[in-house]
Amino acid sequence: QLQLQESGPGPVKPSETLSLTCSVSGGSIRSSDYYWGWIRQPPGKGLEWMGNIFYSGSTYYNPSLKSRLTISVDTSKNQFSLKLSSVTAADTAVYYCAGVCRRSGQLPSYYHYYMDVWGKGTMVIVSS
Amino acid sequence: DIQMTQSPSSLSASVGDRVTITCRASQSISNYLNWYQQKPGKAPQLLIYAASSLQSGVPSRFSGNGSGTDFTLTITSLQPEDFATYCCQQTYSILPLTFGGGTKVEIK
């Protein structure tokens, strides 16, 4: 059974780079069934999709974060990672990694994406 | 961006009640709509994908309906473990994927 676990160095200071890693177990990150995604949730607020990556390195980023966000994959370690630069207090959130299934839909070139495996989440506080 | 609006933002219900939550998209998204359940301090869990397909392992009291801009999640007989926040997500446009603001289901 696929399991995901986020890890990171803890609190981050404003203007620094936030780095997180998601370790995948119970399956291969090279699976053609999954993209791998990051989603965050500020305290008391809703979910925000940050981006997805395929094991080949192909990425989709939320345009609102694209200038600051890098998602990468390390197939040798069965891990994928997030780097968010120039953080501010607004980046304080619980960060989740997820396995994202992609399936063809009724419409040509439009795919269903659904996050059916999630990590437990890690709280990142941006504070000086 | 496609905006997803849920209503109500919260509701109170009793065990055994039928509960319906609505999600409206700012433009037509066909059936590219997922529903998630989130309990406090926990990660979301997928309930429904493609508007009406029940995720494996999810109880049959959950059902999804809709197409275009208007969607519903229905719980036919609310159970104690169903008190949680429910959130919709559109996947018609991946740039970006967007979530609704959530509906908190509380005990009456």
Side-chain angles (χ1 to χ4, degrees), chain A residues 11-29:
Chain A
V12 183
K13 291 183 168 55
S15 80
E16 293 186 342
T17 296
L18 182 165
S19 297
L20 295 172
T21 295
C22 183
S23 298
V24 178
S25 58
S28 174
I29 204 166

Side-chain angles (χ1 to χ4, degrees), chain A residues 39 41 46-49 52 60-63 96 105-107 110-116 118-120, chain B residues 30-34 36 38 42-46 49-50 55 87 89 91-92 94-97 99 101:
Chain A
I39 303 96
Q41 186 170 36
L47 297 163
E48 179 184 29
W49 171 75
N52 292 346
Y60 295 99
Y61 293 142
N62 191 321
Y96 296 102
Q106 297 174 349
L107 302 177
Y110 286 84
Y111 295 92
H112 293 285
Y113 294 88
Y114 48 94
M115 294 142 188
D116 71 343
W118 293 69
K120 293 181 179 180
Chain B
S30 184
N31 70 335
Y32 291 78
L33 190 285
N34 304 324
Y36 298 87
Q38 188 177 26
K42 301 293 186 182
Q45 287 193 308
L46 178 68
Y49 62 95
Q55 171 68 351
C87 183
Q89 177 201 29
T91 69
Y92 179 84
I94 193 174
L95 293 178
L97 300 175
F99 292 90

Side-chain angles (χ1 to χ4, degrees), chain A residues 2-128:
Chain A
L2 204 58
Q3 291 185 316
L4 281 65
Q5 177 67 57
E6 305 89 351
S7 60
V12 183
K13 291 183 168 55
S15 80
E16 293 186 342
T17 296
L18 182 165
S19 297
L20 295 172
T21 295
C22 183
S23 298
V24 178
S25 58
S28 174
I29 204 166
R30 289 179 170 271
S31 171
S32 59
D33 291 334
Y34 282 97
Y35 277 73
W36 307 98
W38 289 97
I39 303 96
R40 68 180 181 177
Q41 186 170 36
K45 296 188 177 180
L47 297 163
E48 179 184 29
W49 171 75
M50 300 181 73
N52 292 346
I53 190 166
F54 198 52
Y55 76 89
S56 62
S58 164
T59 54
Y60 295 99
Y61 293 142
N62 191 321
S64 69
L65 298 169
K66 187 174 182 179
S67 63
R68 299 193 292 133
L69 180 63
T70 302
I71 299 176
S72 59
V73 63
D74 187 336
T75 55
S76 68
K77 294 182 178 178
N78 230 33
Q79 294 176 337
F80 62 104
S81 299
L82 169 153
K83 291 187 185 299
L84 185 65
S85 64
S86 305
V87 297
T88 70
D91 296 308
T92 292
V94 176
Y95 285 75
Y96 296 102
C97 60
V100 185
C101 284
R102 187 178 91 159
R103 293 288 183 268
S104 297
Q106 297 174 349
L107 302 177
S109 303
Y110 286 84
Y111 295 92
H112 293 285
Y113 294 88
Y114 48 94
M115 294 142 188
D116 71 343
V117 184
W118 293 69
K120 293 181 179 180
T122 186
M123 181 71 193
V124 177
I125 296 174
V126 179
S127 174
S128 54

Side-chain angles (χ1 to χ4, degrees), chain B residues 3-24:
Chain B
Q3 307 302 319
M4 305 301 295
T5 304
Q6 287 184 236
S7 60
S9 56
S10 66
L11 65 89
S12 295
S14 300
V15 173
D17 283 354
R18 178 185 180 95
V19 169
T20 297
I21 297 166
T22 296
C23 180
R24 176 164 289 174

